[in-house]
Amino acid sequence: MTHAENNPFFHPYNTPFDTPPFDRIKTEHYEPAFDKAIAELSGEISQIANNTQPATFENTVVALERSGVLLNKVTSVFFNMLNSASTDEMMEISERVSPKLTDSSNNIYLNEALFDRVKKVYEQKNLLNLSVEDKRLLEKTYEAFQRRGATLNAESKERYRALSTELSLLNLKFNQNALKDKNRFEYVTTNEADLSGLPESVREAAAALAGEKGKDGWLFNLSSPSYVPFMRYADNRSLREMIYREYMSIGNKGDEFDNQEIVRQIVTIRLEIARLMGYSNFAEYRLTQTMAKNQENVYRLLNDLLDAYKPVAETEYKAVADFAQQDFVIMPWDWSYYAEKLKDSRFNVNDEMTRPYFELKNVTNAVFGLATRLYGITFKENKQIPVYHPEVKAYEVYDEDGKFLSVLYTDFHPRDSKQSGAWMSSLKSQYKDCNGNDSRPHVVIVMNFTRPTETKPSLLSYDEVNTFLHEFGHALHGMFAASTYESLSGTNVYRDFVELPSQIMENWLEEKEFLDIIAVHYETGEKIPVQLIDNLQAAANFNAGYLCCRQLSFGFLDMAWHTLSEPFDGDVVAFEKQAWAKTMILPEVEGTLMSTNFSHLFSGGYAAGYYGYKWAEVLDADAFSLFQESGIFNKEVARSFKENILMKGDTEDPAVLYKRFRGQEPTIDALLKRNGIKK
């Protein structure tokens, strides 16, 4: 059998719901599939560009939209695996394939004949009697050509080709360096005194980690389920400092995994691309495709929030320092430790008290159940759907009328082959084919949650449950998609709008009615005690000022990197310290650096967009206030949110969609009230 005959990408999958046959896809299948898919797309583009018939919406814009089916198929699987189940070989393939993909994209957007046809259709847009969605596709297509160099002169087009290719490789390298540097740190101890202060669940998880690596004792690393509780509970201050410094120097050790020069190169290339397109900086270029529209509006939001929250954060820092009663300054490696103790003292609540009530299986059922209660959808595990790792589960999801809605994959626990953090992505996005048949999506949510141990199931922290709800909100956005065109479907929306469906889901975790459902003791089956719910609600705004300032620091750092007006060859550490100086509540630590591990900015698509979390937080607080007014499980409000937000994707301007749902423009008041900043 030839390689082509054996390559699953070249044949019908013959799997449930046409899901990827992960049990048959092997690493050696990817590159031949990429090569064939790129060649197929090139042929399709030539046909569209050289069509002798006059340019129409259907034979040009729609034909372009529907091109590249095989490439979409291969790309979605490969890059999902690169983030969730990577190997050195996969990383090497990505470095070889990335320039080919960039070149393929450039061959579309820099194709003069193709752009000429798109432009001719665009110039007739008001005469074509297009639907709202069709007009949106036409406008987005034309803008994409403009933003990717179609109007540049020949010399500038070649420069853009070179810059975009180099940038794609740098983004990949940044991510790989950060992952490899993070993974190589391990602190192994056989001295039980080092565990002082750590709850039994944390000790057991550390012992399990050590056992997996064939080591005695307890192992701690920089994954969230290991790092976060260590910083929160470990009594040994010098160990907390050591591990904090390790975490805050990922990609900054002056060796083969150092990302400082890559950061310099990325921001400089982005600046040059922006200038080629006629903008003064990258943020100005990027923000035209957002709700914020320009950097002035971004800075207005960031500064307004800083003015409101920083005085509160400074008071919070003093309260923690006064509580600690130490003869040293409270440093970043002290903050979680003493803040947790103060929170416990004030509210009699901590993660170890709530963990037994947040068993992963029950939390999953409750989160799914929330979607059932709000939207009527149901979930059914299907073990016949191939998965890419034994820990991954696949579910069939059905709409309230019983129609198939989506496949949902869940991938909950850390692995060395997996990027840190949590995210939602798609193995296939929703669209309607040329005959109007609705092709439903395959959605993935990926976390790095606390693992089960030999004696206990996976018991989540409150923050982990919050993260689950957040990513599940993204999943709902992807699963409910009901667009005609894939590029306008689901989460393919503005960066500062995409976090609304995710962040609104977090609100339910602060509501007693939902906590009663989601929080059930894993051994006794008893509901979480009313007093513990009261304590959780009382503690909901604990250190809200600090947490907001921390998020704002990331937003200011992002904007500083992307409002540069000159190429950058300076000191990355000094730049970072200055960029977020006015947001800092905790003392700065010499030798630490976040930018070299800030994947959102340098490999994750949030460049000049990190402010979007706060922008969307204004929206989600305002939107949830409507649920609070009508009842948090109100089906009419939920239906309106589904029909006006979750189903619409990017088929209309998000400001129009939001106002249609809410009945008014969003205001910051609901957020300030939710966080206790405004009474």
Side-chain angles (χ1 to χ4, degrees), residues 322-558:
D322 289 346
F323 174 82
Q325 293 185 319
Q326 298 295 336
D327 57 2
F328 51 75
V329 174
I330 297 298
M331 299 297 289
W333 51 84
D334 301 315
W335 176 254
S336 292
Y337 179 76
Y338 287 109
E340 183 69 14
K341 291 188 180 305
L342 174 58
K343 178 182 170 186
D344 197 359
S345 171
R346 277 188 187 174
F347 304 107
N348 190 29
V349 65
N350 59 54
D351 275 344
E352 298 316 303
M353 295 168 68
T354 57
R355 271 188 199 277
Y357 296 95
F358 292 136
E359 189 270 318
L360 178 57
K361 184 177 180 181
N362 184 65
V363 167
T364 302
N365 291 336
V367 171
F368 289 177
L370 175 59
T372 303
R373 191 162 180 182
L374 290 172
Y375 304 114
I377 62 175
T378 53
F379 300 78
K380 176 185 171 186
E381 187 179 358
N382 184 340
K383 294 184 179 180
Q384 302 308 308
I385 293 175
V387 293
Y388 56 86
H389 189 277
E391 292 178 338
V392 176
K393 291 185 178 182
Y395 298 85
E396 302 170 16
V397 186
Y398 291 89
D399 210 343
E400 59 184 339
D401 59 4
K403 288 175 63 177
F404 174 68
L405 189 69
S406 175
V407 171
L408 175 67
Y409 299 83
T410 61
D411 181 358
F412 287 129
H413 301 298
R415 298 185 292 272
D416 285 349
S417 61
K418 186 195 282 191
Q419 293 287 344
S420 59
W423 62 91
M424 166 267 177
S425 61
S426 296
L427 288 163
K428 184 173 84 68
S429 297
Q430 179 272 340
Y431 62 90
K432 292 174 184 171
D433 67 19
C434 56
N435 297 315
N437 299 312
D438 192 358
S439 182
R440 299 310 303 168
H442 304 156
V443 171
V444 190
I445 51 175
V446 185
M447 324 286 183
N448 279 280
F449 286 163
T450 303
R451 281 189 168 282
T453 65
E454 288 185 7
T455 62
K456 292 186 181 70
S458 175
L459 302 176
L460 305 186
S461 69
Y462 186 87
D463 286 346
E464 287 176 325
V465 179
N466 200 59
T467 297
F468 193 157
L469 284 162
H470 179 105
E471 299 306 333
F472 186 71
H474 283 310
L476 289 173
H477 201 184
M479 293 192 295
F480 276 127
S483 304
T484 300
Y485 305 112
E486 186 171 357
S487 66
L488 302 180
S489 174
T491 58
N492 292 317
V493 299
Y494 290 163
R495 279 289 182 197
D496 48 7
F497 190 62
V498 77
E499 297 300 336
L500 167 60
S502 57
Q503 290 179 179
I504 195 172
M505 292 299 292
E506 299 173 24
N507 288 277
W508 272 271
L509 191 54
E510 295 183 9
E511 298 291 331
K512 182 182 185 302
E513 291 173 85
F514 183 57
L515 279 166
D516 249 354
I517 299 167
I518 197 171
V520 177
H521 199 284
Y522 79 101
E523 288 180 313
T524 66
E526 294 176 356
K527 289 185 177 182
I528 188 169
V530 173
Q531 186 60 57
L532 197 47
I533 290 179
D534 291 342
N535 295 351
L536 276 169
Q537 290 180 317
N541 287 325
F542 180 69
N543 286 347
Y546 165 76
L547 292 171
C548 181
C549 286
R550 183 173 179 270
Q551 281 287 90
L552 292 175
S553 73
F554 304 154
F556 277 108
L557 176 61
D558 173 26

Side-chain angles (χ1 to χ4, degrees), residues 109 232 390 582:
Y109 292 106
R232 189 171 286 168
K582 66 181 179 180

Side-chain angles (χ1 to χ4, degrees), residues 244-311:
Y244 172 83
R245 287 183 179 276
E246 285 288 342
Y247 189 85
M248 288 298 292
S249 63
I250 293 173
N252 179 35
K253 298 188 178 71
D255 56 17
E256 72 270 29
F257 301 139
D258 194 282
N259 273 334
Q260 286 198 63
E261 183 55 32
I262 291 177
V263 168
R264 293 187 190 97
Q265 292 174 14
I266 286 174
V267 296
T268 297
I269 289 172
R270 285 174 175 166
L271 171 60
E272 187 174 350
I273 288 173
R275 284 177 164 178
L276 277 175
M277 303 303 169
Y279 297 90
S280 60
N281 60 53
F282 185 78
E284 187 180 88
Y285 165 65
R286 188 67 180 273
L287 289 168
T288 59
Q289 300 292 301
T290 63
M291 293 185 78
K293 302 302 182 192
N294 57 58
Q295 63 197 55
E296 289 75 24
N297 288 336
V298 172
Y299 276 120
R300 185 179 299 114
L301 173 72
L302 296 179
N303 283 313
D304 284 351
L305 290 173
L306 187 63
D307 289 344
Y309 283 80
K310 189 172 182 182

